[in-house]
Amino acid sequence: MGNSSSDNKTEQLTQQIARQNEVIENLQKELSLAKENINTHKRKLSQFNEGTINNNINNPQNDQKKIKRRSNISTTSLSSTRSAVTNNNTTKTEPKKIVICFSGFKNTTDKFNKILKKELVQIASEIPNVAVNEENGNRDTLPSDVTHVIAPHYARTMKVLQALASGKWIMSSKWIKEGKCSLVDQQKYGICRLENPITGKKVFLTETFNLCYDKEHQTAKHCQMLVEYCKGSITDKIEEADYCILGTPQEQEDEEENRELLQKIQEERENLPSQYPVVSLEWNEFVDLLYPLHYEQTLRKIEGN
């Protein structure tokens, strides 16, 4: 009996490692694609710069034409410029408005509790051009005007995930305490995901996912919201899908029913990728795909934990 239990645990760990390797392989593909895009943009920029330089060298008259045009512009616009200065002598570009919200702070003995949040809100409220959005309506929806989310490094709340999916910043508490919400070198205090692996992709919800979570279940709603925030789409045709999300075993009173569900999940995980070009993930693995461990480690290091 003891050997059987040990074998089951070993098999479960082996399966978990295989799933994580699958996620890592997918992330590596996304990273490779991003690097290729960057190199493509660099080449285009280099070609553009070379073309501009060659054009100026081959056509020296261009410089004389530009000088003439500048001379005409300066003489004709002098009076209007003086008028504009007279009407508004202190015209300046308004600084970008920063709107922050908080997520993951709880009434616990943890460092990231309501007391710390209250302190951070007070500091942020005194910083010019910074607004605190304390909207308490729907905890699962990120307000559209928010530019930065302040959260613990371990928080995988819907607001944090939506912020990552939509290219907004997740900041440490030090950004408020030390950085005073400055946009200069904000990467020193937080993380921002410019691309996510779900953009433009199709997601299929498997039979076991629908067995575990009906349409009114919170996880099903969260899944729909995140895919939309990532600018992906849910499909009911697995042959069109890039990702499929499997069910996750829940605590069941009926051990036989739970055993059957586990068997179905395992069958889907093994069979679907061999039949269709999809990546199979459980819900928690899908969340990790959006918020990889190295992002959490980065925020943890910033906070000094």
Side-chain angles (χ1 to χ4, degrees):
M1 188 72 178
N3 290 336
S4 176
S5 176
S6 177
D7 290 341
N8 287 337
K9 289 182 178 179
T10 301
E11 183 178 355
Q12 290 176 359
L13 287 173
T14 302
Q15 292 171 358
Q16 289 177 3
I17 292 171
R19 291 197 296 269
Q20 290 298 326
N21 286 337
E22 188 177 15
V23 173
I24 290 171
E25 182 180 354
N26 185 62
L27 288 173
Q28 287 175 336
K29 291 180 180 177
E30 296 291 339
L31 179 59
S32 177
L33 180 61
K35 288 181 177 179
E36 289 180 8
N37 290 336
I38 291 172
N39 290 333
T40 299
H41 288 307
K42 285 182 177 179
R43 286 195 297 270
K44 288 182 178 179
L45 180 60
S46 176
Q47 291 170 359
F48 174 80
N49 289 336
E50 289 176 2
T52 302
I53 293 171
N54 291 335
N55 184 55
N56 288 337
I57 292 174
N58 296 330
N59 298 280
Q61 294 179 353
N62 285 346
D63 291 337
Q64 296 178 1
K65 292 179 180 179
K66 288 179 181 179
I67 293 171
K68 289 181 179 179
R69 284 200 298 270
R70 287 172 185 165
S71 176
N72 292 334
I73 292 171
S74 63
T75 55
T76 56
S77 63
L78 182 58
S79 59
S80 59
T81 303
R82 287 173 177 169
S83 176
V85 172
T86 303
N87 292 333
N88 187 3
N89 195 37
T90 58
T91 301
K92 293 181 180 180
T93 303
E94 292 186 4
K96 184 178 179 181
K97 185 75 172 179
I98 297 171
V99 181
I100 65 175
C101 76
F102 294 82
S103 186
F105 291 80
K106 300 179 179 180
N107 287 318
T108 62
T109 55
D110 185 88
K111 171 184 175 180
F112 301 97
N113 52 38
K114 296 289 186 180
I115 297 175
L116 175 60
K117 177 183 174 182
K118 185 176 180 180
E119 177 188 349
L120 296 174
V121 168
Q122 180 63 36
I123 297 172
S125 299
E126 296 173 357
I127 299 174
N129 209 49
V130 173
V132 179
N133 187 320
E134 294 191 87
E135 182 181 322
N136 296 317
N138 187 344
R139 294 187 309 168
D140 289 340
T141 302
L142 182 69
S144 59
D145 63 337
V146 168
T147 58
H148 298 73
V149 177
I150 316 300
H153 58 273
Y154 52 76
R156 280 170 167 74
T157 66
M158 281 300 291
K159 286 183 179 178
V160 167
L161 295 175
Q162 288 169 33
L164 285 172
S166 53
K168 296 184 179 181
W169 285 84
I170 310 298
M171 309 302 290
S172 70
S173 61
K174 286 187 175 181
W175 184 55
I176 296 178
K177 286 186 171 182
E178 300 177 6
K180 302 304 179 184
C181 297
S182 171
L183 296 180
V184 179
D185 294 332
Q186 57 187 332
Q187 66 273 11
K188 289 171 54 178
Y189 298 101
I191 58 173
C192 178
R193 184 161 197 169
L194 299 179
E195 296 181 357
N196 71 74
I198 310 301
T199 299
K201 305 295 186 181
K202 292 186 177 182
V203 178
F204 176 80
L205 305 180
T206 67
E207 178 186 357
T208 58
F209 182 91
N210 292 316
L211 283 173
C212 293
Y213 316 109
D214 60 42
K215 291 183 179 180
E216 297 303 314
H217 195 283
Q218 191 178 50
T219 298
K221 293 179 179 179
H222 286 177
C223 181
Q224 181 75 39
M225 290 172 63
L226 283 180
V227 171
E228 290 177 358
Y229 259 90
C230 290
K231 297 181 180 179
S233 60
I234 301 288
T235 180
D236 57 0
K237 297 179 181 179
I238 190 169
E239 59 270 17
E240 297 179 352
D242 301 286
Y243 296 91
C244 64
I245 304 183
L246 313 173
T248 302
Q250 308 294 311
E251 290 294 331
Q252 306 254 1
E253 293 183 4
D254 190 333
E255 292 185 5
E256 181 64 27
E257 183 179 342
N258 197 37
R259 192 158 39 244
E260 291 178 0
L261 178 60
L262 282 170
Q263 184 177 351
K264 283 185 178 180
I265 293 172
Q266 185 60 31
E267 288 174 356
E268 285 183 343
R269 184 179 290 280
E270 293 176 354
N271 297 333
L272 291 181
S274 63
Q275 298 174 11
Y276 306 97
V278 296
V279 177
S280 300
L281 302 168
E282 290 185 20
W283 169 246
N284 61 326
E285 294 169 330
F286 181 73
V287 170
D288 289 341
L289 188 66
L290 298 178
Y291 190 174
L293 179 61
H294 65 272
Y295 280 11
E296 177 182 333
Q297 292 172 336
T298 299
L299 277 180
R300 186 200 300 266
K301 185 176 180 179
I302 292 170
E303 287 285 2
N305 292 329

